[in-house]
Amino acid sequence: MAKDKRSIEERTMDPAAQEMLQRAELLGLSTAFDRADGMAPCPIGSAGMCCRNCGMGPCRLTKADDRGVCGATISTIQARAMARAIAAGTAAHSDHGRDMALTLKAVAMGEAQGYEIKDEAKLLKVAHIYGVDTNERTAKEIANDLADLFIAQFGQQKGRLAPTYRAPKKRQEIWERVGVMPRGVDREVVDVMHRTHIGDDQDAGNILKGAVRCALADGWGGSMIATDISDILFGTPMPNLTQVNLGVLKNDEVNIVVHGHEPTLSQMIVVACQDPEMIEYAKSKGAKGITLSGICCTANEVMVRQGIPAAGNFLHQELAILTGAVEAMVVDVQCIMQAVVDLASNFHTEIITTSPKVMITGATHIEFDEHRALDIAKEIVRRAIDNYPNRGETQIPNIAHDVVPGFSHEYINYMLGGSYRGSFRPLNDAIMSGRIRGAAAVVGCNNPRTTQDLFHYQIVKELLANDVLVVQTGCGAIASGKYGMLLGEAALELAGPGLREVCEATGMPPVLHMGSCVDNTRILTVLTQVVEEGGLGDDISELPAVGLAPEWMSEKALAIATYVVASGGYVIFGGSSPVSGMEKVEGSNAVERLMIEGWEEMFGGKLAFFESYEKMLEETLAHIDKKRAALGLPAYDPSRFGKSGDWRMNEIEKLSEKERKTALYGHPATAGD
Ligand code: BF8
């Protein structure tokens, strides 16, 4: 069924994206925005009421007393669909973690061309966490044992995943008691696929319990492993100055865009692009140099470490091609639209797939192999340079914003505590005093069915004004960067008085870009440390904190949401719920209730979906205030803060001379007058 076509302003709030959508219209080319407008979502499938898990169906249930051919109820079918989505999300993140573990092993064995252990301090720290012997051993020996330990987490059959010991003690006890302690990453994914097969688990609550255990194997398993190894091999992120949006593409340079998620190849492409031989080669083809930029989480991986600019978030992948200025878009895994190949055929852009798991008909496939990574990276860069003379007419929006990303858990610790004694004490104290009302993680995707970035922007802006500290990852972080909110000074202008005081005193910006979507595990680590620092209860569920994914679209987002809920967090998604159908047919929804009331009772966390950002904000602030009250903290009162320090001086500077003297000295004349 076709829907009404939205105006360009209704499709995206990003002026660079608007310019490219106008260009697409002029050129008669379609994008995800057109396709979303042209095809309304299937009302039965989008509500999780269509079961195609066997050959007797697909069964489409629309009334409360409808049954599938096997007798399955709507609740069973919805829980199965949700569980399978969570398993797919877990598989995607965790397979990324597995690839990282195999790369670490290859580096330890001296078999990975071009890679090295960049961050030995992190290697030692992680080895220590997992009990790997570090005494009088080389970095490679330690890395070898650590790689073996990590690789074993995927195939482990019994016991519990090693990273789960990093959670607060109370949380671990809850997982044991409820029976959701993850055993092995692969085992939990298989378990969900099995229990959702025809004729297996037919109790919605039990199906969801299996899904929770699977999601925990992602957050406190595969994803956590991915983050740690990326830091060990490529460096733990630290703040750096770079830029975001399509204006990072250069008219007179070879533009290579890396897109997807895994940092292994993109890190080598960074090296290859900086090779003087490659730069000379680019010049020999008439370009001034080579510009590397990123899309999606590959962008985040190279942005938080090397300061490589981001051309944009999820919905920018087609828009970058529309500039006509991209010689090669190099993709690895996840969030890559098949449409990029068709679209690129209208330009000179070459789409290069690199993973054996991701081939796209019509794209060039150059398979990545970590054993000769640098050679492959150079081959790709050379190909892009060779393509430069084929470039036609271009149109690059002159829009790019400065950003400072790279706030790893380690850096926040250092920033708040100083170089000799890292600490979260100032953060805990600020929350306890009420200067910081609470914290929110605003993460996740773009979705072409909403106005691109609008929910992200409004939510972050309002949270800052309400003295809520914001941490970000994924496409949400890139969205904030596009509107200047990843730059300390600009974001401070939006912050409420208490948050502003704390940020000015500690040098911490009010919006912290922490990395890619697998790096949501950094947020788990931060939450655990906040608990362990003391004063805010003894479990994550007691913290005045909320997780939000305002424009979710991927199965990975559902996996992340579920492991955060199982870790004790309230997670609020924007847009439609994938299990909303029962509401329409019988006035209430058993599966949604299980994810709100059921999960809150079991884990102290819950997952809810809201269509408006105003409602998301209202829920967020109400939850934060409820948790503050439960901890016995003072109620949030912004009038108590902001009357000292730079904030007051800045306000005073805005006054007339007479008013300023009165404010400073209590009367309009000073002794010298
Ligand atoms: O893993 S936020 S659109 S790019 S799924 Fe994809 Fe969503 Fe972006 Fe990063 Ni995460």
Side-chain angles (χ1 to χ4, degrees):
M1 189 207 310
K3 290 196 311 171
D4 289 341
K5 189 175 160 186
R6 294 168 297 167
S7 69
I8 282 175
E9 290 74 23
E10 286 170 318
R11 291 174 166 195
T12 176
M13 67 171 281
D14 176 351
Q18 288 172 357
E19 184 181 332
M20 283 303 97
L21 290 183
Q22 266 157 10
R23 177 165 157 85
E25 268 186 18
L26 268 174
L27 298 174
L29 299 172
S30 93
T31 64
F33 298 91
D34 298 293
R35 295 188 292 275
D37 282 357
M39 184 176 56
C42 161
I44 302 169
S46 65
M49 299 189 301
C50 171
C51 182
R52 50 179 307 277
N53 290 14
C54 82
M56 296 189 288
C59 296
R60 297 170 307 137
L61 278 55
T62 56
K63 296 192 290 300
D65 53 359
D66 277 356
R67 297 286 180 268
V69 174
C70 71
T73 62
I74 291 183
S75 296
T76 298
I77 287 170
Q78 286 184 317
R80 275 183 191 153
M82 181 76 183
R84 283 203 166 189
I86 289 166
T90 299
H93 278 151
S94 298
D95 212 31
H96 170 168
R98 182 202 324 272
D99 283 346
M100 296 305 304
L102 294 172
T103 303
L104 182 66
K105 178 77 182 172
V107 173
M109 305 283 286
E111 293 171 353
Q113 184 201 35
Y115 296 107
E116 56 182 342
I117 293 164
K118 271 250 170 63
D119 192 339
E120 285 198 21
K122 178 111 188 195
L123 171 72
L124 292 176
K125 192 176 134 200
V126 176
H128 176 73
I129 289 172
Y130 291 112
V132 171
D133 184 13
T134 55
N135 265 340
E136 294 181 28
R137 303 182 77 205
T138 65
K140 282 193 173 171
E141 284 168 341
I142 297 167
N144 191 44
D145 282 5
L146 191 59
D148 286 343
L149 185 145
F150 282 150
I151 291 165
Q153 302 307 305
F154 295 90
Q156 187 169 283
Q157 302 302 317
K158 292 190 295 192
R160 56 187 278 192
L161 287 176
T164 58
Y165 288 100
R166 293 168 64 168
K169 222 169 165 339
K170 194 168 167 188
R171 190 54 27 194
Q172 297 178 37
E173 286 162 12
I174 291 170
W175 294 338
E176 292 281 13
R177 192 176 67 241
V178 177
V180 294
M181 186 64 86
R183 298 155 294 188
V185 176
D186 295 354
R187 177 161 189 193
E188 302 313 345
V189 175
V190 168
D191 179 284
V192 168
M193 295 311 286
H194 179 186
R195 71 172 62 220
T196 54
H197 185 272
I198 163 74
D200 282 312
D201 204 349
Q202 284 150 72
D203 176 87
N206 204 48
I207 293 168
L208 289 180
K209 206 163 120 183
V212 167
R213 184 155 59 177
C214 182
L216 284 171
D218 177 359
W220 297 89
S223 279
M224 199 167 268
I225 290 170
T227 296
D228 278 345
I229 299 177
S230 298
D231 287 355
I232 290 168
L233 290 179
F234 309 125
T236 302
M238 285 197 289
N240 65 71
L241 179 64
T242 183
Q243 287 198 317
V244 162
N245 217 337
L246 293 168
V248 305
L249 299 172
K250 299 252 169 53
N251 233 330
D252 50 7
E253 298 200 3
V254 173
N255 287 305
I256 301 173
V257 176
V258 284
H259 169 25
H261 284 77
E262 291 186 354
T264 33
L265 174 61
S266 52
Q267 292 286 340
M268 278 303 133
I269 292 183
V270 173
V271 174
C273 285
Q274 290 163 352
D275 184 335
E277 201 186 308
M278 287 292 154
I279 295 168
E280 275 314 305
Y281 188 52
K283 287 180 179 165
S284 77
K285 299 284 177 181
K288 286 210 170 119
I290 308 168
T291 290
L292 181 65
S293 61
I295 298 266
C296 281
C297 282
T298 297
N300 285 318
E301 295 280 357
V302 290
M303 182 161 67
V304 296
R305 294 194 175 87
Q306 282 86 18
I308 301 298
N313 42 7
F314 176 64
L315 288 174
H316 272 42
Q317 57 189 286
E318 291 177 290
L319 308 183
I321 294 169
L322 275 160
T323 63
V326 175
E327 274 59 52
M329 181 174 277
V330 187
V331 304
D332 49 76
V333 295
Q334 301 164 25
C335 301
I336 302 143
M337 293 188 194
Q338 185 165 357
V340 292
V341 173
D342 257 359
L343 185 65
S345 68
N346 296 283
F347 303 91
H348 75 308
T349 306
E350 184 171 32
I351 306 292
I352 301 174
T353 53
T354 58
S355 165
K357 281 170 278 208
V358 180
M359 293 180 89
I360 307 176
T361 309
T364 303
H365 189 72
I366 301 176
E367 197 149 307
F368 174 63
D369 172 1
E370 72 263 29
H371 299 96
R372 29 179 231 100
L374 191 54
D375 288 347
I376 294 167
K378 283 185 179 173
E379 181 189 341
I380 288 171
V381 172
R382 204 171 287 115
R383 235 183 134 88
I385 295 169
D386 286 337
N387 199 16
Y388 181 75
N390 300 326
R391 197 189 270 190
E393 175 254 346
T394 63
Q395 183 182 339
I396 301 174
N398 186 21
I399 297 170
H401 281 277
D402 285 348
V403 294
V404 177
F407 290 88
S408 55
H409 154 252
E410 287 82 352
Y411 191 83
I412 298 172
N413 217 17
Y414 159 75
M415 179 174 59
L416 291 174
S419 48
Y420 293 108
R421 188 186 169 276
S423 169
F424 269 40
R425 198 65 249 161
L427 176 61
N428 282 36
D429 285 346
I431 295 173
M432 289 164 72
S433 70
R435 278 189 170 79
I436 293 181
R437 186 174 183 172
V442 186
V443 306
C445 323
N446 281 150
N447 188 327
R449 297 208 177 272
T450 64
T451 306
Q452 184 193 16
D453 297 341
L454 179 67
F455 277 28
H456 283 292
Y457 172 75
Q458 291 291 3
I459 285 172
V460 172
K461 189 169 72 110
E462 288 299 321
L463 289 176
L464 292 180
N466 279 280
D467 292 291
V468 176
L469 177 71
V470 176
V471 298
Q472 297 209 267
T473 59
C475 290
I478 298 175
S480 282
K482 287 197 258 172
Y483 308 100
M485 295 194 288
L486 291 184
L487 209 55
E489 302 77 24
L492 271 182
E493 290 299 316
L494 301 170
L499 176 61
R500 186 170 177 142
E501 263 188 17
V502 176
C503 292
E504 284 175 349
T506 60
M508 172 180 69
V511 184
L512 302 169
H513 181 337
M514 296 190 75
S516 63
C517 285
V518 294
D519 292 338
N520 281 312
T521 62
R522 294 191 203 278
I523 299 173
L524 296 178
T525 305
V526 165
L527 294 172
T528 303
Q529 193 176 340
V530 167
V531 168
E532 282 164 359
E533 186 66 46
L536 292 169
D538 56 4
D539 182 41
I540 293 171
S541 62
E542 294 178 60
L543 300 176
V546 174
L548 299 111
E551 299 174 25
W552 85 278
M553 67 88 200
S554 84
E555 291 169 313
K556 289 179 291 169
L558 295 174
I560 294 166
T562 307
Y563 73 63
V564 173
V565 170
S567 303
Y570 181 15
V571 178
I572 298 174
F573 269 35
S576 63
S577 159
V579 292
S580 60
M582 284 276 273
E583 209 162 352
K584 288 172 206 151
V585 296
E586 66 174 22
S588 66
N589 180 332
V591 174
E592 279 190 334
R593 277 204 308 277
L594 281 169
M595 297 193 312
I596 297 174
E597 292 148 36
W599 282 356
E600 185 158 39
E601 205 182 308
M602 268 189 251
F603 305 113
K606 55 186 173 178
L607 173 59
F609 295 80
F610 298 106
E611 299 272 357
S612 85
Y613 69 79
E614 290 93 343
K615 181 68 182 158
M616 295 174 75
L617 273 165
E618 189 188 314
E619 280 285 313
T620 301
L621 296 175
H623 185 77
I624 284 173
D625 290 346
K626 190 175 104 185
K627 292 292 173 183
R628 289 190 66 84
L631 286 166
L633 301 178
Y636 170 64
D637 176 8
S639 69
R640 291 166 55 219
F641 303 111
K643 294 189 175 54
S644 62
D646 293 349
W647 183 82
R648 178 162 156 76
M649 290 311 294
N650 289 340
E651 289 302 302
I652 287 173
E653 271 164 26
K654 288 181 200 153
L655 305 174
S656 70
E657 195 183 345
K658 193 172 162 190
E659 288 168 332
R660 194 160 55 233
K661 282 177 180 170
T662 307
L664 287 171
Y665 309 114
H667 53 82
T670 62
D673 289 336

